[in-house]
PDB file of all heavy atoms in Angstrom:
ATOM      1  N   SER A  55      34.498  53.615  73.549  1.00  0.00           N
ATOM      2  CA  SER A  55      33.157  53.819  73.035  1.00  0.00           C
ATOM      3  C   SER A  55      33.210  54.704  71.809  1.00  0.00           C
ATOM      4  O   SER A  55      34.055  55.555  71.665  1.00  0.00           O
ATOM      5  CB  SER A  55      32.292  54.475  74.106  1.00  0.00           C
ATOM      6  OG  SER A  55      31.126  55.030  73.546  1.00  0.00           O
ATOM      7  N   ASN A  56      32.250  54.504  70.874  1.00  0.00           N
ATOM      8  CA  ASN A  56      32.246  55.331  69.678  1.00  0.00           C
ATOM      9  C   ASN A  56      31.254  56.477  69.780  1.00  0.00           C
ATOM     10  O   ASN A  56      30.844  57.033  68.777  1.00  0.00           O
ATOM     11  CB  ASN A  56      31.949  54.472  68.434  1.00  0.00           C
ATOM     12  CG  ASN A  56      30.570  53.844  68.486  1.00  0.00           C
ATOM     13  OD1 ASN A  56      29.856  53.967  69.479  1.00  0.00           O
ATOM     14  ND2 ASN A  56      30.207  53.148  67.412  1.00  0.00           N
ATOM     15  N   ALA A  57      30.863  56.845  70.987  1.00  0.00           N
ATOM     16  CA  ALA A  57      29.955  57.966  71.148  1.00  0.00           C
ATOM     17  C   ALA A  57      30.645  59.266  70.760  1.00  0.00           C
ATOM     18  O   ALA A  57      31.809  59.464  71.042  1.00  0.00           O
ATOM     19  CB  ALA A  57      29.475  58.051  72.592  1.00  0.00           C
ATOM     20  N   LEU A  58      29.907  60.160  70.125  1.00  0.00           N
ATOM     21  CA  LEU A  58      30.462  61.423  69.650  1.00  0.00           C
ATOM     22  C   LEU A  58      29.495  62.540  69.992  1.00  0.00           C
ATOM     23  O   LEU A  58      28.325  62.488  69.648  1.00  0.00           O
ATOM     24  CB  LEU A  58      30.670  61.362  68.131  1.00  0.00           C
ATOM     25  CG  LEU A  58      31.196  62.617  67.459  1.00  0.00           C
ATOM     26  CD1 LEU A  58      32.608  62.899  67.913  1.00  0.00           C
ATOM     27  CD2 LEU A  58      31.163  62.445  65.951  1.00  0.00           C
ATOM     28  N   PRO A  59      29.949  63.566  70.703  1.00  0.00           N
ATOM     29  CA  PRO A  59      29.016  64.597  71.134  1.00  0.00           C
ATOM     30  C   PRO A  59      28.533  65.514  70.025  1.00  0.00           C
ATOM     31  O   PRO A  59      27.449  66.052  70.110  1.00  0.00           O
ATOM     32  CB  PRO A  59      29.832  65.384  72.165  1.00  0.00           C
ATOM     33  CG  PRO A  59      31.255  65.148  71.784  1.00  0.00           C
ATOM     34  CD  PRO A  59      31.294  63.760  71.239  1.00  0.00           C
ATOM     35  N   ALA A  60      29.314  65.728  69.002  1.00  0.00           N
ATOM     36  CA  ALA A  60      28.915  66.662  67.941  1.00  0.00           C
ATOM     37  C   ALA A  60      29.827  66.417  66.758  1.00  0.00           C
ATOM     38  O   ALA A  60      30.930  65.928  66.906  1.00  0.00           O
ATOM     39  CB  ALA A  60      29.066  68.103  68.421  1.00  0.00           C
ATOM     40  N   PRO A  61      29.375  66.739  65.536  1.00  0.00           N
ATOM     41  CA  PRO A  61      28.064  67.223  65.198  1.00  0.00           C
ATOM     42  C   PRO A  61      27.069  66.095  64.996  1.00  0.00           C
ATOM     43  O   PRO A  61      27.480  64.978  64.732  1.00  0.00           O
ATOM     44  CB  PRO A  61      28.302  67.970  63.887  1.00  0.00           C
ATOM     45  CG  PRO A  61      29.448  67.232  63.264  1.00  0.00           C
ATOM     46  CD  PRO A  61      30.307  66.752  64.405  1.00  0.00           C
ATOM     47  N   ALA A  62      25.783  66.388  65.081  1.00  0.00           N
ATOM     48  CA  ALA A  62      24.759  65.351  64.960  1.00  0.00           C
ATOM     49  C   ALA A  62      24.123  65.398  63.592  1.00  0.00           C
ATOM     50  O   ALA A  62      23.572  66.395  63.188  1.00  0.00           O
ATOM     51  CB  ALA A  62      23.689  65.562  66.028  1.00  0.00           C
ATOM     52  N   PRO A  63      24.219  64.295  62.813  1.00  0.00           N
ATOM     53  CA  PRO A  63      23.563  64.236  61.518  1.00  0.00           C
ATOM     54  C   PRO A  63      22.068  63.951  61.679  1.00  0.00           C
ATOM     55  O   PRO A  63      21.581  63.797  62.785  1.00  0.00           O
ATOM     56  CB  PRO A  63      24.269  63.089  60.797  1.00  0.00           C
ATOM     57  CG  PRO A  63      25.259  62.528  61.743  1.00  0.00           C
ATOM     58  CD  PRO A  63      25.030  63.167  63.088  1.00  0.00           C
ATOM     59  N   PRO A  64      21.334  63.845  60.590  1.00  0.00           N
ATOM     60  CA  PRO A  64      19.913  63.577  60.679  1.00  0.00           C
ATOM     61  C   PRO A  64      19.643  62.289  61.434  1.00  0.00           C
ATOM     62  O   PRO A  64      20.384  61.318  61.314  1.00  0.00           O
ATOM     63  CB  PRO A  64      19.477  63.458  59.203  1.00  0.00           C
ATOM     64  CG  PRO A  64      20.508  64.197  58.446  1.00  0.00           C
ATOM     65  CD  PRO A  64      21.779  64.030  59.203  1.00  0.00           C
ATOM     66  N   PRO A  65      18.578  62.241  62.224  1.00  0.00           N
ATOM     67  CA  PRO A  65      18.344  61.081  63.077  1.00  0.00           C
ATOM     68  C   PRO A  65      17.752  59.896  62.363  1.00  0.00           C
ATOM     69  O   PRO A  65      17.801  58.790  62.881  1.00  0.00           O
ATOM     70  CB  PRO A  65      17.346  61.627  64.116  1.00  0.00           C
ATOM     71  CG  PRO A  65      16.627  62.734  63.396  1.00  0.00           C
ATOM     72  CD  PRO A  65      17.635  63.344  62.473  1.00  0.00           C
ATOM     73  N   ASP A  66      17.193  60.080  61.178  1.00  0.00           N
ATOM     74  CA  ASP A  66      16.470  58.971  60.568  1.00  0.00           C
ATOM     75  C   ASP A  66      17.425  57.870  60.166  1.00  0.00           C
ATOM     76  O   ASP A  66      18.431  58.072  59.530  1.00  0.00           O
ATOM     77  CB  ASP A  66      15.689  59.462  59.339  1.00  0.00           C
ATOM     78  CG  ASP A  66      16.592  60.150  58.334  1.00  0.00           C
ATOM     79  OD1 ASP A  66      17.242  61.143  58.729  1.00  0.00           O
ATOM     80  OD2 ASP A  66      16.649  59.678  57.183  1.00  0.00           O
ATOM     81  N   GLY A  67      17.061  56.648  60.523  1.00  0.00           N
ATOM     82  CA  GLY A  67      17.820  55.478  60.119  1.00  0.00           C
ATOM     83  C   GLY A  67      19.178  55.369  60.745  1.00  0.00           C
ATOM     84  O   GLY A  67      20.037  54.661  60.248  1.00  0.00           O
ATOM     85  N   ALA A  68      19.444  56.068  61.842  1.00  0.00           N
ATOM     86  CA  ALA A  68      20.777  56.039  62.441  1.00  0.00           C
ATOM     87  C   ALA A  68      21.073  54.677  63.022  1.00  0.00           C
ATOM     88  O   ALA A  68      20.287  54.102  63.737  1.00  0.00           O
ATOM     89  CB  ALA A  68      20.868  57.098  63.543  1.00  0.00           C
ATOM     90  N   GLN A  69      22.257  54.141  62.682  1.00  0.00           N
ATOM     91  CA  GLN A  69      22.737  52.906  63.274  1.00  0.00           C
ATOM     92  C   GLN A  69      24.231  52.833  63.050  1.00  0.00           C
ATOM     93  O   GLN A  69      24.782  53.602  62.297  1.00  0.00           O
ATOM     94  CB  GLN A  69      22.040  51.681  62.656  1.00  0.00           C
ATOM     95  CG  GLN A  69      22.270  51.563  61.136  1.00  0.00           C
ATOM     96  CD  GLN A  69      21.619  50.332  60.554  1.00  0.00           C
ATOM     97  OE1 GLN A  69      21.699  49.265  61.131  1.00  0.00           O
ATOM     98  NE2 GLN A  69      20.942  50.480  59.430  1.00  0.00           N
ATOM     99  N   ASP A  70      24.879  51.916  63.719  1.00  0.00           N
ATOM    100  CA  ASP A  70      26.321  51.780  63.558  1.00  0.00           C
ATOM    101  C   ASP A  70      26.655  51.420  62.120  1.00  0.00           C
ATOM    102  O   ASP A  70      26.026  50.555  61.519  1.00  0.00           O
ATOM    103  CB  ASP A  70      26.878  50.684  64.484  1.00  0.00           C
ATOM    104  CG  ASP A  70      26.853  51.115  65.929  1.00  0.00           C
ATOM    105  OD1 ASP A  70      26.641  52.313  66.169  1.00  0.00           O
ATOM    106  OD2 ASP A  70      27.030  50.245  66.804  1.00  0.00           O
ATOM    107  N   SER A  71      27.687  52.106  61.571  1.00  0.00           N
ATOM    108  CA  SER A  71      28.156  51.711  60.249  1.00  0.00           C
ATOM    109  C   SER A  71      28.887  50.395  60.366  1.00  0.00           C
ATOM    110  O   SER A  71      29.446  50.058  61.381  1.00  0.00           O
ATOM    111  CB  SER A  71      29.093  52.785  59.679  1.00  0.00           C
ATOM    112  OG  SER A  71      30.244  52.885  60.456  1.00  0.00           O
ATOM    113  N   ARG A  72      28.849  49.632  59.304  1.00  0.00           N
ATOM    114  CA  ARG A  72      29.419  48.298  59.343  1.00  0.00           C
ATOM    115  C   ARG A  72      30.629  48.223  58.445  1.00  0.00           C
ATOM    116  O   ARG A  72      30.595  48.673  57.315  1.00  0.00           O
ATOM    117  CB  ARG A  72      28.374  47.261  58.901  1.00  0.00           C
ATOM    118  CG  ARG A  72      27.240  47.105  59.892  1.00  0.00           C
ATOM    119  CD  ARG A  72      26.080  46.360  59.278  1.00  0.00           C
ATOM    120  NE  ARG A  72      25.467  47.159  58.224  1.00  0.00           N
ATOM    121  CZ  ARG A  72      24.389  46.755  57.540  1.00  0.00           C
ATOM    122  NH1 ARG A  72      23.849  45.595  57.787  1.00  0.00           N
ATOM    123  NH2 ARG A  72      23.870  47.518  56.599  1.00  0.00           N
ATOM    124  N   GLN A  73      31.659  47.613  58.973  1.00  0.00           N
ATOM    125  CA  GLN A  73      32.897  47.461  58.209  1.00  0.00           C
ATOM    126  C   GLN A  73      32.859  46.116  57.516  1.00  0.00           C
ATOM    127  O   GLN A  73      32.599  45.093  58.133  1.00  0.00           O
ATOM    128  CB  GLN A  73      34.104  47.527  59.139  1.00  0.00           C
ATOM    129  CG  GLN A  73      35.408  47.545  58.394  1.00  0.00           C
ATOM    130  CD  GLN A  73      36.568  47.740  59.341  1.00  0.00           C
ATOM    131  OE1 GLN A  73      36.541  47.220  60.441  1.00  0.00           O
ATOM    132  NE2 GLN A  73      37.573  48.468  58.921  1.00  0.00           N
ATOM    133  N   ARG A  74      33.074  46.140  56.224  1.00  0.00           N
ATOM    134  CA  ARG A  74      33.056  44.909  55.448  1.00  0.00           C
ATOM    135  C   ARG A  74      34.487  44.523  55.120  1.00  0.00           C
ATOM    136  O   ARG A  74      35.253  45.302  54.624  1.00  0.00           O
ATOM    137  CB  ARG A  74      32.257  45.098  54.156  1.00  0.00           C
ATOM    138  CG  ARG A  74      30.790  45.431  54.413  1.00  0.00           C
ATOM    139  CD  ARG A  74      30.057  45.674  53.116  1.00  0.00           C
ATOM    140  NE  ARG A  74      30.093  44.503  52.253  1.00  0.00           N
ATOM    141  CZ  ARG A  74      29.199  43.523  52.306  1.00  0.00           C
ATOM    142  NH1 ARG A  74      28.222  43.552  53.199  1.00  0.00           N
ATOM    143  NH2 ARG A  74      29.275  42.507  51.488  1.00  0.00           N
ATOM    144  N   GLU A  75      34.809  43.286  55.391  1.00  0.00           N
ATOM    145  CA  GLU A  75      36.150  42.796  55.084  1.00  0.00           C
ATOM    146  C   GLU A  75      35.970  41.493  54.338  1.00  0.00           C
ATOM    147  O   GLU A  75      35.658  40.460  54.885  1.00  0.00           O
ATOM    148  CB  GLU A  75      36.944  42.586  56.366  1.00  0.00           C
ATOM    149  CG  GLU A  75      38.455  42.540  56.159  1.00  0.00           C
ATOM    150  CD  GLU A  75      38.926  41.215  55.600  1.00  0.00           C
ATOM    151  OE1 GLU A  75      38.402  40.184  56.012  1.00  0.00           O
ATOM    152  OE2 GLU A  75      39.813  41.233  54.743  1.00  0.00           O
ATOM    153  N   ASN A  76      36.110  41.563  53.006  1.00  0.00           N
ATOM    154  CA  ASN A  76      35.816  40.415  52.167  1.00  0.00           C
ATOM    155  C   ASN A  76      36.921  40.289  51.146  1.00  0.00           C
ATOM    156  O   ASN A  76      36.687  40.296  49.955  1.00  0.00           O
ATOM    157  CB  ASN A  76      34.443  40.611  51.488  1.00  0.00           C
ATOM    158  CG  ASN A  76      34.056  39.427  50.619  1.00  0.00           C
ATOM    159  OD1 ASN A  76      34.486  38.320  50.883  1.00  0.00           O
ATOM    160  ND2 ASN A  76      33.252  39.679  49.589  1.00  0.00           N
ATOM    161  N   SER A  77      38.154  40.262  51.626  1.00  0.00           N
ATOM    162  CA  SER A  77      39.289  40.309  50.711  1.00  0.00           C
ATOM    163  C   SER A  77      39.746  38.907  50.364  1.00  0.00           C
ATOM    164  O   SER A  77      39.558  37.949  51.103  1.00  0.00           O
ATOM    165  CB  SER A  77      40.442  41.086  51.340  1.00  0.00           C
ATOM    166  OG  SER A  77      40.851  40.474  52.527  1.00  0.00           O
ATOM    167  N   SER A  78      40.370  38.798  49.216  1.00  0.00           N
ATOM    168  CA  SER A  78      40.946  37.523  48.803  1.00  0.00           C
ATOM    169  C   SER A  78      42.199  37.805  48.000  1.00  0.00           C
ATOM    170  O   SER A  78      42.265  38.794  47.275  1.00  0.00           O
ATOM    171  CB  SER A  78      39.942  36.725  47.956  1.00  0.00           C
ATOM    172  OG  SER A  78      39.577  37.447  46.802  1.00  0.00           O
TER     173      SER A  78
END
Side-chain angles (χ1 to χ4, degrees):
S55 163
N56 63 355
L58 178 66
D66 56 302
Q69 60 178 317
D70 289 347
S71 64
R72 292 166 293 182
Q73 187 175 37
R74 298 177 60 88
E75 200 283 321
N76 181 28
S77 60
S78 60

